């Protein structure tokens, strides 16, 4: 009897070992991660966000200066400028991820890249030029994962957020519900 159990265990163990492991389960493909980061940087430079002008980038919008000398940038101007920054250089945009640019009365605030399809649940947002803004899992218990998830919820809840491509959003039912609940608090 014990020989039969041992034999069955060996057969099932060998059967399980013969199966290949799933390919990069739960991981963002490196090429997509790199492109998401590069798209964020390109839009940051174009819109003059995250101190890029102090690092030599010339924005395609005039944000004025800081404080009282700053100028408002409308949604149309921000969309046109961001579109020129990402036009043709980011083949996975709209296929693997989308970009969101939350807007306030003075103009764009930040840039967020959010995974879609197989890459849903991943995101990155803009940061200073000296830092790496790598995508993170939105469900990660880390500070950065929570921060990106919060920014996604806010972007999804705001009607003024600019989305690229314009006809795509990364706001599933759960994210929208969470964002709506957060906005009401």
């Amino acid at each position: 009897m014990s020989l039969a159990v041992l034999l069955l265990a060996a057969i099932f163990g060998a059967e399980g070992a013969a199966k290949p492991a799933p390919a990069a389960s739960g991981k963002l493909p490196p090429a997509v991660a790199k492109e998401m980061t590069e798209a964020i940087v390109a839009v940051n430079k174009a819109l003059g966000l995250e101190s890029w002008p102090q690092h030599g980038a010339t924005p395609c919008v005039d944000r004025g200066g800081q404080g009282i000398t700053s100028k408002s940038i409308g949604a149309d101007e921000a969309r046109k400028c961001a579109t020129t920054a990402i036009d043709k250089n980011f083949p996975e945009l709209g296929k693997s991820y989308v970009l969101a640019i939350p807007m306030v009365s003075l103009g764009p605030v930040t840039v967020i890249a959010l995974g879609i399809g197989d890459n849903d649940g991943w995101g990155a947002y803009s940061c200073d030029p000296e830092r790496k803004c790598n995508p993170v899992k939105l469900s990660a218990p880390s500070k950065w994962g929570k921060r990106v998830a919060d920014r996604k919820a806010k972007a999804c809840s705001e009607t003024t957020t600019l989305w690229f491509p314009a006809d795509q959003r990364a706001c599933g039912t759960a994210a929208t519900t969470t964002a709506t609940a957060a906005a009401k608090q």
Side-chain angles (χ1 to χ4, degrees), residues 94-133:
K95 297 174 189 168
S96 298
Y97 68 97
V98 296
L99 294 177
I101 303 174
M103 297 286 290
V104 294
S105 61
L106 289 176
V109 178
T110 191
V111 182
I112 309 165
L114 299 165
I116 57 173
D118 291 343
N119 303 310
D120 188 27
W122 287 89
Y125 76 96
S126 59
C127 58
D128 289 327
E130 295 87 23
R131 297 186 66 186
K132 289 190 177 196
C133 305

Side-chain angles (χ1 to χ4, degrees), residues 34-144:
K34 182 179 181 202
E35 187 175 311
M36 287 171 80
T37 303
E38 289 172 351
I40 289 172
V41 169
V43 175
N44 276 338
K45 287 179 177 181
L47 295 175
L49 297 172
E50 304 295 350
S51 73
W52 276 103
Q54 287 84 5
H55 292 272
T58 304
C60 60
V61 292
D62 182 10
R63 296 184 65 91
Q66 293 183 348
I68 198 158
T69 61
S70 66
K71 298 178 184 177
S72 296
I73 298 171
D76 291 339
E77 188 178 4
R79 178 173 292 286
K80 182 179 176 185
C81 184
T83 299
T84 61
I86 56 177
D87 194 34
K88 299 178 186 169
N89 294 325
F90 301 98
E92 290 301 311
L93 181 61
K95 297 174 189 168
S96 298
Y97 68 97
V98 296
L99 294 177
I101 303 174
M103 297 286 290
V104 294
S105 61
L106 289 176
V109 178
T110 191
V111 182
I112 309 165
L114 299 165
I116 57 173
D118 291 343
N119 303 310
D120 188 27
W122 287 89
Y125 76 96
S126 59
C127 58
D128 289 327
E130 295 87 23
R131 297 186 66 186
K132 289 190 177 196
C133 305
N134 295 328
V136 295
K137 192 79 169 152
L138 299 179
S139 62
S142 67
K143 178 180 173 182
W144 205 253

Side-chain angles (χ1 to χ4, degrees), residues 138-154:
L138 299 179
S139 62
S142 67
K143 178 180 173 182
W144 205 253
K146 291 175 184 175
R147 190 174 285 169
V148 176
D150 288 344
R151 288 196 175 45
K152 176 183 178 177
K154 187 163 176 103

Side-chain angles (χ1 to χ4, degrees), residues 10-30:
I11 291 170
F12 286 122
E15 206 174 279
K19 293 179 184 175
S25 170
K27 297 223 178 199
L28 187 64

